[in-house]
Amino acid sequence: NAGVTQTPKFRILKIGQSMTLQCTQDMNHNYMYWYRQDPGMGLKLIYYSVGAGITDKGEVPNGYNVSRSTTEDFPLRLELAAPSQTSVYFCASSTLNRDRARDEQFFGPGTRLTVL
Amino acid sequence: GQNIDQPTEMTATEGAIVQINCTYQTSGFNGLFWYQQHAGEAPTFLSYNVLDGLEEKGRFSSFLSRSKGYSYLLLKELQMKDSASYLCAVRDRMTGGSYIPTFGRGTSLIVHP
């Protein structure tokens, strides 16, 4: 299993450009997440999905969009990039998040995005 | 919402023991996780607590007190490779019924010889 894969690893955008961060998992996990991590900070949830066709906003969704057409893929779209979106983006997945079950998250290697 | 608090940074000596604390406030607690994150890498799972008490796994142990909203991660026989950030995450029941983890800011642990 490759686990959770993300592309690209690095990207530099100009203000106002758009891009899609790709995320794929091969563990047949229902739950998928997008987080951003700024220097010295923890992970802030952008969007999450509990299954194909279902997405929901997290703590910091403004400026981003997601879709979940398949179990495996969960792309994150940035429209009109701004310097405040400079960050490291992590995609993660987990199984069913059952009541009181461990169901820990597995993370991709991250995408380092700079907006100039 | 949730409020998760951890110390920003800790230092310790190789071979010693260190305890990293995490306090939280949540409306629908459903488990607490500890993750390790080395610089420039992704977080990886370390431990999980959902009932009160201590969970031990080799050199790492994690403790939970739900009534106090408190957990700690205990690292024994510290090694240089333990220098990393340690993230506390609390899983909460969301409005729609899903259980979703929220992360604290992380504690940067520096182990020196």
Side-chain angles (χ1 to χ4, degrees):
Chain A
N1 283 356
V4 181
T5 56
Q6 293 182 236
T7 56
K9 285 189 168 53
F10 303 93
R11 184 72 186 268
I12 298 175
L13 281 182
K14 293 182 180 178
I15 294 172
Q17 286 186 320
S18 301
M19 77 165 293
T20 299
L21 282 67
Q22 302 292 345
C23 175
T24 301
Q25 54 93 8
D26 62 359
M27 297 174 282
N28 202 31
H29 284 171
N30 287 71
Y31 282 66
M32 295 188 75
Y33 317 79
W34 275 106
Y35 292 92
R36 60 175 288 173
Q37 185 174 40
D38 299 322
M41 303 291 283
L43 300 166
K44 291 190 177 179
L45 183 65
I46 305 172
Y47 271 95
Y48 67 96
S49 169
V50 302
I54 307 169
T55 63
D56 212 340
K57 294 179 181 178
E59 183 185 357
V60 290
N62 290 346
Y64 307 95
N65 276 302
V66 293
S67 60
R68 183 96 183 270
S69 56
T70 67
T71 299
E72 294 78 21
D73 301 305
F74 190 41
L76 178 72
R77 178 84 178 160
L78 277 74
E79 305 281 2
L80 299 174
S84 61
Q85 293 178 304
T86 293
S87 189
V88 179
Y89 292 84
F90 287 102
C91 178
S93 71
S94 61
T95 52
L96 296 173
N97 282 15
R98 296 157 292 177
D99 186 16
R100 292 184 292 273
R102 194 175 89 181
D103 295 340
E104 75 272 25
Q105 292 170 297
F106 294 81
F107 287 83
T111 293
R112 284 147 185 81
L113 176 68
T114 302
V115 182
L116 300 173
Chain B
Q2 296 181 354
N3 190 11
I4 302 171
D5 196 32
Q6 325 176 213
T8 302
E9 186 175 294
M10 299 181 72
T11 59
T13 305
E14 193 176 13
I17 299 173
V18 70
Q19 177 176 312
I20 302 174
N21 296 327
C22 172
T23 59
Y24 64 88
Q25 294 172 317
T26 182
S27 53
F29 177 84
N30 199 268
L32 186 144
F33 299 83
W34 285 95
Y35 287 83
Q36 181 189 58
Q37 184 179 26
H38 284 101
E41 298 182 7
T44 55
F45 171 77
L46 274 182
S47 71
Y48 173 69
N49 296 73
V50 67
L51 300 177
D52 291 349
L54 190 68
E55 293 285 339
E56 297 186 84
K57 198 161 82 171
R59 294 189 299 116
F60 294 74
S61 303
S62 57
F63 172 84
L64 175 68
S65 169
R66 289 171 295 170
S67 62
K68 295 182 180 177
Y70 168 70
S71 172
Y72 67 73
L73 180 69
L74 193 71
L75 292 77
K76 303 175 188 175
E77 301 168 14
L78 281 172
Q79 302 175 10
M80 299 297 289
K81 68 177 182 180
D82 296 330
S83 292
S85 185
Y86 291 86
L87 307 175
C88 172
V90 177
R91 191 166 61 195
D92 200 355
R93 187 181 176 102
M94 309 299 275
T95 307
S98 303
Y99 299 109
I100 302 296
T102 298
F103 285 79
R105 289 189 171 196
T107 299
S108 178
L109 174 65
I110 300 168
V111 180
H112 54 82

